[in-house]
Amino acid sequence: MCNLMWDGQLVTIRQVKEDTDPAAGDILFTEHEHVSHLRHAHLLLLLGVSLSESLENVRLVYERVHLGSLYTVLHTRRWEPHPLRTDTIPQLLLQVCDAVIYLHSRGYIHRSLTSHAVQLVSPTVAKLSNLEYLQERAEDGRWSGGPGLPIPHQLYNWLPPEVIRNQRATPSSDLYSFCTVLQEALTGRET
């Protein structure tokens, strides 16, 4: 993700790195499919899609993320003053929890809830992103939908065993991942 100007507005762009497998662009199409019909105050707001003529270079245009992901703030910007106050961390985590509850109420399981997926729009506002790995509830209302896209091994530290094995997830799978993010945010250490 990177911050740019788009149509005179400060935005955050999500795109696939150039040295990545060309099929990785499908992940952005999948994310667009999911995020385009979900609206919640604590889901990162999609503003538009930018396509190249060959459709090989897809960019999703989101509202501006001023601080970056929770992971970036906690682990890669150690030389900078910490922008989060201890008393705001619970508020940020409640916002993420609210977004997860919304997804569950709409029939989705996030499956890849990590500190990389928590975007800090400001020091007091967190929004959930990275919806490309969502699992949808089956038509009969049970959480029996098949597994979704396999999740990259870089995210395994936050994920429950069933998701790592690419098996059917449940709302408890997201709860497991949320707890790992909670521990990370409160201790400052990666899980």
Side-chain angles (χ1 to χ4, degrees):
M1 293 182 90
C2 64
N3 291 332
L4 297 171
M5 285 288 271
W6 179 67
D7 199 25
Q9 182 177 356
L10 295 171
V11 295
T12 296
I13 304 290
R14 182 162 188 216
Q15 62 187 8
V16 175
K17 293 180 182 177
E18 290 181 22
D19 59 346
T20 309
D21 177 14
D26 293 342
I27 289 174
L28 293 182
F29 281 115
T30 303
E31 180 171 359
H32 173 261
E33 180 183 317
H34 292 302
V35 77
S36 63
H37 64 274
L38 294 170
R39 293 281 183 265
H40 187 271
H42 295 292
L43 289 179
L44 195 60
L45 179 63
L46 179 68
L47 300 174
V49 178
S50 175
L51 300 172
S52 65
E53 288 184 25
S54 64
L55 297 180
E56 291 177 8
N57 191 8
V58 178
R59 294 177 179 168
L60 299 180
V61 182
Y62 286 99
E63 66 182 297
R64 182 64 168 242
V65 176
H66 291 280
L67 298 177
S69 70
L70 179 60
Y71 182 88
T72 299
V73 169
L74 292 175
H75 305 296
T76 64
R77 293 186 176 173
R78 293 185 181 257
W79 63 91
E80 297 176 16
H82 200 291
L84 300 179
R85 294 185 4 214
T86 306
D87 62 333
T88 62
I89 291 175
Q91 174 189 349
L92 295 170
L93 294 171
L94 282 173
Q95 293 169 5
V96 172
C97 189
D98 193 35
V100 172
I101 291 169
Y102 167 76
L103 289 176
H104 292 176
S105 74
R106 301 286 293 186
Y108 293 99
I109 298 172
H110 192 280
R111 291 182 64 236
S112 62
L113 178 55
T114 69
S115 56
H116 295 282
V118 177
Q119 303 300 322
L120 299 174
V121 175
S122 76
T124 59
V125 177
K127 297 203 176 188
L128 191 58
S129 67
N130 300 32
L131 303 181
E132 64 270 24
Y133 299 108
L134 286 183
Q135 175 183 306
E136 210 168 341
R137 185 175 14 215
E139 288 183 23
D140 64 4
R142 296 183 319 174
W143 292 103
S144 58
L149 294 171
I151 296 176
H153 69 277
Q154 297 90 334
L155 304 180
Y156 283 3
N157 287 349
W158 294 268
L159 304 180
E162 65 272 15
V163 173
I164 291 171
R165 292 185 203 116
N166 201 27
Q167 296 172 341
R168 182 176 43 245
T170 66
S172 297
S173 304
D174 282 346
L175 178 60
Y176 178 102
S177 295
F178 178 78
C179 289
T180 63
V181 173
L182 172 71
Q183 178 182 0
E184 182 181 6
L186 295 177
T187 64
R189 283 178 282 202
E190 218 176 317
T191 54

